[in-house]
Amino acid sequence: MVVDVALEPISMDGALFTKPVIMAGPCSAETEEQLLNTAIPLAEMGIKIFRAGIWKPRTRPNAFEGVGAVGLKWMQTVKRETGMMVATEVANVKHVYEALKSGVDIIWIGARTSANPFAVQDIADSLRGVNIPVMIKNPVNPDVDLWIGAIERINNAGIKQMAAIHRGFSSYEKTLYRNVPQWQIPIELRRRIPEMPIITDPSHICGNREFLFDISQKAMDLNFDGLIIETHCNPDKALSDANQQVTPDGLKQIIDRIVYRDPEVNEELMLTLAELRDQIDKLDDRIINLLEDRMGVSEKIGSYKKENNITILQTKRWDDMLKTRLNLGNRKGLSEEFIIKLFRSIHQESINHQTSVMNKE
Ligand code: PEP
Ligand code: MN
């Protein structure tokens, strides 16, 4: 079950990569000034690794696709001015070549690239004989083997300083998150490659600033090894991922709030519990979405009743409904008392939604 991967700790200017490692910096490099205005306060806070995207993989054409190689010069300026290590995403051999030429300290493979074994293998081949830390984001699709495959390809090319970045997974369903965290997948990765550092990317999981702290705290509760958080001197004006970026001060507030708990004595127990809680969170998310859909239908019924002048409550319909729900619930092992309470409450909420539609001018 355990995958054989040869790893060495990531070296940071001779010092070891210490936990929790925090990587911060903008989604994209935009101007030299923007990089410096972001990097200087980060360095003052003690952040050691600066991230910025130079080439941006965008879902639709004509979005901001990154400044390209000129941004690497600005990264050198950041490195010189702040002493931070600089990290960027590479998606092909040309990117690797340009990044290495410009003295980038750490490269990462983005989620869209790690989903493509041909692309990962090309990058791996271009890294043979090179000594640079490489981080592998999870593929966009929730496939732990594909993630491990990408890690193995890079490791087989002789790269020993590695980390995995957990950035969540695409889904068609509307959820709270831009990319569903599916914590069971990084947990499974930890089981399969216990010595692989895992860094969580709350920014791309959340897609907004609101939940960054919760995701960060959760990653630390799982004893993961670090965080990569998009940080911009003027987030609202960012050319990419504006909603999810925070200012350096916003980042400091998140980091200062995180509680670092003692690693649990029994890690396996903790991971299993976290996995089960994650399932509960996802199911509750679905329940809320279903209720939202249900209220939407009630409102449509409300407008229809209004147009046709029918009363809201039709007792026969409610009696029939309750009967079928009780029957279904009984078959699924749900008590009569619970079904009655649950559907009374749902029904009441539906009536409230219908009433407000019917009374709207
Ligand atoms: C990024 O880190 O800016 C990025 C593009 O991330 P991902 O590959 O996770 O989408
Ligand atoms: Mn981004």
Side-chain angles (χ1 to χ4, degrees), residues 25-173:
C27 178
S28 304
E30 298 166 7
T31 64
E32 188 171 47
E33 197 188 8
Q34 166 243 7
L35 287 193
L36 283 171
N37 287 344
T38 309
I40 292 168
L42 288 175
E44 281 166 359
M45 279 163 57
I47 305 289
K48 302 273 187 288
I49 307 176
F50 184 76
R51 66 145 285 158
I54 297 294
W55 303 279
K56 300 304 296 179
R58 305 314 298 276
T59 304
R60 307 276 306 272
N62 304 323
F64 174 65
E65 292 186 327
V67 291
V70 64
L72 293 168
K73 291 208 184 69
W74 310 336
M75 295 288 261
Q76 287 172 337
T77 312
V78 167
K79 201 169 148 170
R80 202 176 50 241
E81 297 287 317
T82 67
M84 277 193 276
M85 291 174 91
V86 294
T88 200
E89 170 177 347
V90 293
N92 59 40
V93 173
K94 184 172 158 286
H95 297 165
V96 172
Y97 174 75
E98 301 267 8
L100 294 177
K101 200 173 65 177
S102 302
V104 166
D105 301 289
I106 296 174
I107 53 180
W108 81 79
I109 296 181
R112 291 155 196 78
T113 311
S114 39
N116 178 347
F118 288 128
V120 175
Q121 192 58 52
D122 279 347
I123 294 173
D125 293 341
S126 75
L127 285 170
R128 250 171 232 290
V130 178
N131 186 18
I132 187 168
V134 180
M135 301 184 175
I136 318 280
K137 286 204 171 192
N138 66 253
V140 280
N141 50 325
D143 182 339
V144 74
D145 287 306
L146 193 57
W147 196 2
I148 290 174
I151 291 168
E152 287 177 307
R153 286 175 199 279
I154 300 295
N155 192 242
N156 290 344
I159 299 290
K160 299 224 166 58
Q161 299 183 43
M162 297 186 76
I165 301 178
H166 166 225
R167 54 76 81 191
F169 303 88
S170 298
S171 78
Y172 181 68
E173 258 176 81

Side-chain angles (χ1 to χ4, degrees), residues 3-297:
V3 181
D4 200 14
V5 171
L7 294 176
E8 280 168 11
I10 293 176
S11 142
M12 296 172 61
D13 290 334
L16 292 183
F17 180 91
T18 48
K19 189 173 157 173
V21 75
I22 311 275
M23 301 172 66
C27 178
S28 304
E30 298 166 7
T31 64
E32 188 171 47
E33 197 188 8
Q34 166 243 7
L35 287 193
L36 283 171
N37 287 344
T38 309
I40 292 168
L42 288 175
E44 281 166 359
M45 279 163 57
I47 305 289
K48 302 273 187 288
I49 307 176
F50 184 76
R51 66 145 285 158
I54 297 294
W55 303 279
K56 300 304 296 179
R58 305 314 298 276
T59 304
R60 307 276 306 272
N62 304 323
F64 174 65
E65 292 186 327
V67 291
V70 64
L72 293 168
K73 291 208 184 69
W74 310 336
M75 295 288 261
Q76 287 172 337
T77 312
V78 167
K79 201 169 148 170
R80 202 176 50 241
E81 297 287 317
T82 67
M84 277 193 276
M85 291 174 91
V86 294
T88 200
E89 170 177 347
V90 293
N92 59 40
V93 173
K94 184 172 158 286
H95 297 165
V96 172
Y97 174 75
E98 301 267 8
L100 294 177
K101 200 173 65 177
S102 302
V104 166
D105 301 289
I106 296 174
I107 53 180
W108 81 79
I109 296 181
R112 291 155 196 78
T113 311
S114 39
N116 178 347
F118 288 128
V120 175
Q121 192 58 52
D122 279 347
I123 294 173
D125 293 341
S126 75
L127 285 170
R128 250 171 232 290
V130 178
N131 186 18
I132 187 168
V134 180
M135 301 184 175
I136 318 280
K137 286 204 171 192
N138 66 253
V140 280
N141 50 325
D143 182 339
V144 74
D145 287 306
L146 193 57
W147 196 2
I148 290 174
I151 291 168
E152 287 177 307
R153 286 175 199 279
I154 300 295
N155 192 242
N156 290 344
I159 299 290
K160 299 224 166 58
Q161 299 183 43
M162 297 186 76
I165 301 178
H166 166 225
R167 54 76 81 191
F169 303 88
S170 298
S171 78
Y172 181 68
E173 258 176 81
K174 185 174 61 149
T175 74
L176 212 53
Y177 303 105
R178 176 178 176 192
N179 291 293
V180 193
Q182 307 248 43
W183 294 99
Q184 76 276 19
I185 293 178
I187 288 171
E188 179 61 16
L189 180 72
R190 166 115 316 162
R191 287 206 181 99
R192 305 265 287 271
I193 317 180
E195 67 281 27
M196 172 68 69
I198 298 179
I199 294 173
T200 293
D201 174 347
S203 308
H204 292 91
I205 291 176
C206 295
N208 64 51
R209 285 163 213 142
E210 212 182 321
F211 307 124
L212 291 176
F213 168 77
D214 293 338
I215 295 289
S216 305
Q217 181 66 60
K218 171 125 185 175
M220 295 300 100
D221 289 346
L222 285 171
N223 205 17
F224 287 172
D225 304 271
L227 300 167
I228 175 166
I229 299 186
E230 286 186 343
T231 312
H232 191 291
C233 53
N234 189 356
D236 290 330
K237 290 272 150 41
L239 298 182
S240 58
D241 290 351
N243 294 340
Q244 70 196 30
Q245 304 206 54
V246 285
T247 59
D249 191 53
L251 177 73
K252 186 169 186 318
Q253 287 176 30
I254 292 169
I255 295 174
D256 288 349
R257 257 178 83 195
I258 295 176
V259 180
Y260 297 97
R261 303 180 217 281
D262 281 341
E264 300 275 332
V265 195
N266 187 338
E267 195 183 55
E268 183 60 32
L269 201 93
M270 181 189 70
L271 293 180
T272 305
L273 199 61
E275 222 170 321
L276 293 172
R277 286 184 178 146
D278 184 44
Q279 286 180 29
I280 295 274
D281 289 348
K282 270 197 295 216
L283 289 167
D284 284 350
D285 189 13
R286 276 170 61 192
I287 292 176
I288 301 269
N289 280 327
L290 285 172
L291 287 171
E292 183 195 16
D293 291 350
R294 196 186 190 284
M295 296 308 152
V297 176

